[in-house]
Amino acid sequence: MGQPVASRGRTATPTLGKAMLNKYARAFFTRVLTPFAAFLIRRGVSPDTVTLLGTAGVIAGALVFYPRGEFFWGTIVITLFVFSDLVDGNMARQMGRSSRWGAFLDSTLDRVADGAIFGGFALWYAGGGDDNVLCAVSIFCLASGQVVSYTKARGESIGLPVAVNGLVERAERLVISLVAAGLAGLHAFGVPGIDVLLPVALWIVAVGSLVTLIQRVVTVRRESAEAEEDASAQAAQAPQGTTDGAQNSEATS
């Protein structure tokens, strides 16, 4: 649920296009959601409570509606609760309570929400959708999304910048999947042929996630090699510096 627009303490290194989109999206949603966030603050609601409720709503929308093939209404419910993640970040800023805990909670629950969405797709195709291939693709989207996030977090935890965005990040995965699911749901209202959008979207997300995973692994490998080379160079210079110092001292005496 939380992208840079609504993160509480998280940072990103977006491309120019993403940075511009983030800039205008941030300004728009700040204007729209600030009064509502202020109302919740006056009512004594905490940002963490909004985060938890938002995640619960996304899970309910995904696991109640999607396994029954009700993609339109499921997407409506999920979209409404996804906005809660924008609200909690706004509340935290107004209250001056941005913290490592808030960033950790947001990031952790984002993974839970993602799992519920793609898990809902998998349950549909394993049941009423009756398509084992698309069930497997949905599971791959679920797993690859988690691993893509993990590679960046793990790389940063060992001191590497992981300076790469990747082809399909979390925002793209969600937008592609939810828009396609919502439109595919219009098939139940008599719109012909539109249900093909969801399978196409899942394949796009699966391939894009695989490419992104490869990009991040290659980046971590390169940055790790560069860091080890720098460390070796520094270690090689240290004895030389000590020897030079000793020689200079002997020459002076």
Side-chain angles (χ1 to χ4, degrees):
M1 292 175 359
Q3 284 304 112
V5 171
S7 63
R8 290 190 276 163
R10 283 173 289 174
T11 58
T13 54
T15 61
L16 178 60
K18 290 183 180 179
M20 293 178 63
L21 179 61
N22 181 42
K23 173 184 176 181
Y24 292 114
R26 185 193 300 272
F28 172 77
F29 284 114
T30 296
R31 288 195 301 270
V32 172
L33 297 175
T34 293
F36 181 61
F39 170 78
L40 293 178
I41 293 172
R42 291 194 300 269
R43 292 291 180 178
V45 180
S46 71
D48 289 349
T49 299
V50 174
T51 301
L52 291 167
L53 290 176
T55 303
V58 170
I59 293 172
L63 298 183
V64 171
F65 291 94
Y66 283 177
R68 297 188 297 181
E70 298 179 5
F71 295 117
F72 178 80
W73 294 114
T75 302
I76 293 296
V77 172
I78 290 170
T79 302
L80 290 176
F81 280 100
V82 161
F83 279 100
S84 69
D85 197 57
L86 306 178
V87 174
D88 64 12
N90 195 307
M91 292 173 65
R93 287 190 294 273
Q94 290 190 49
M95 299 171 69
R97 285 176 52 182
S98 296
S99 65
R100 291 183 178 90
W101 163 249
F104 170 81
L105 183 65
D106 268 357
S107 182
T108 301
L109 294 183
D110 284 349
R111 308 286 85 76
V112 174
D114 291 358
I117 291 170
F118 288 103
F121 294 145
L123 288 173
W124 162 248
Y125 286 115
D130 192 22
D131 192 320
N132 290 335
V133 172
L134 287 176
C135 176
V137 172
S138 299
I139 294 173
F140 179 83
C141 290
L142 190 162
S144 61
Q146 307 296 320
V147 177
V148 164
S149 297
Y150 174 79
T151 53
K152 187 172 182 67
R154 184 67 179 117
E156 291 174 342
S157 74
I158 59 177
L160 300 176
V162 195
V164 62
N165 289 302
L167 180 63
V168 176
E169 295 186 294
R170 182 173 183 267
E172 289 81 10
R173 291 196 303 270
L174 288 183
V175 169
I176 293 171
S177 301
L178 292 178
V179 170
L183 292 175
L186 296 176
H187 180 74
F189 297 93
V191 180
I194 201 167
D195 53 324
V196 73
L197 289 179
L198 182 55
V200 170
L202 290 174
W203 277 107
I204 291 174
V205 171
V207 173
S209 296
L210 178 59
V211 172
T212 302
L213 176 59
I214 294 172
Q215 288 177 306
R216 290 192 174 181
V217 170
V218 170
T219 298
V220 170
R221 179 178 174 82
R222 173 177 53 79
E223 292 177 348
S224 177
E226 291 172 353
E228 290 174 0
E229 289 176 2
D230 291 343
S232 298
Q234 292 174 2
Q237 291 173 358
Q240 182 65 36
T242 302
T243 303
D244 291 345
Q247 292 175 347
N248 291 337
S249 177
E250 291 175 359
T252 302
S253 62

